Amino acid sequence: MHEYTSTARVWGLTCPGFPEEVSRARRWTRDILRGSPLADDAELIVSELSANAILHTASGAASGSFHLALAVSPQVVALSVTDAGGTGISPKVEHQDQDAEHGRGLGMVTALAHRVVVHNSQAGHTITAELFAEARQGGGA
């Protein structure tokens, strides 16, 4: 293979910060990953991260938006959601009681993904979840 050729494909989508855009993000992910055994988990992760961007950051403001990136290779599916920040609070995994109504979403993402990385900046947060085609020896996030 030529050193500048990659088998990875990358897609991007920017959505306005409206609640109905979460279903658009899910559909977009499902369409790209059609036939992949990772499609269901990826769709659920994108749904949760998109909803969090709208509910908990400036992405959900009147002129807000969030951006999705989806990279697919034979080894990994990497999903990133970038929000508009503006809350002064960084996303973090919280371990809630089973009856809690809030604060469990990022924990669910961490349970589904093989690795989750949170990048914080003054412009916002990017959460990337990676799903490996084959679980690595020793697995885990």
Side-chain angles (χ1 to χ4, degrees), residues 4 13 31-33 40-41 43 53 74 82 117 123-124 134 136:
Y4 298 112
L13 176 69
D31 288 348
I32 291 170
L33 295 176
D40 290 342
D41 287 348
E43 183 180 348
T82 301
V117 179
E134 294 182 30
R136 293 183 175 176

Side-chain angles (χ1 to χ4, degrees), residues 23-61:
S23 64
R24 179 179 175 209
R26 275 196 315 266
R27 214 171 30 253
W28 178 79
T29 302
R30 186 177 54 241
D31 288 348
I32 291 170
L33 295 176
R34 187 173 314 281
S36 169
L38 301 174
D40 290 342
D41 287 348
E43 183 180 348
L44 185 56
I45 289 169
V46 163
S47 180
E48 182 60 36
L49 295 180
S50 298
N52 283 352
I54 293 169
L55 292 172
H56 302 297
T57 74
S59 291

Side-chain angles (χ1 to χ4, degrees), residues 92-115:
K92 64 181 180 284
V93 176
E94 297 178 4
H95 300 285
Q96 298 291 344
D97 179 270
Q98 68 179 5
D99 296 326
E101 293 182 23
H102 300 286
R104 296 173 27 179
L106 199 50
M108 177 191 62
V109 168
T110 301
L112 289 171
H114 293 96
R115 181 168 52 182

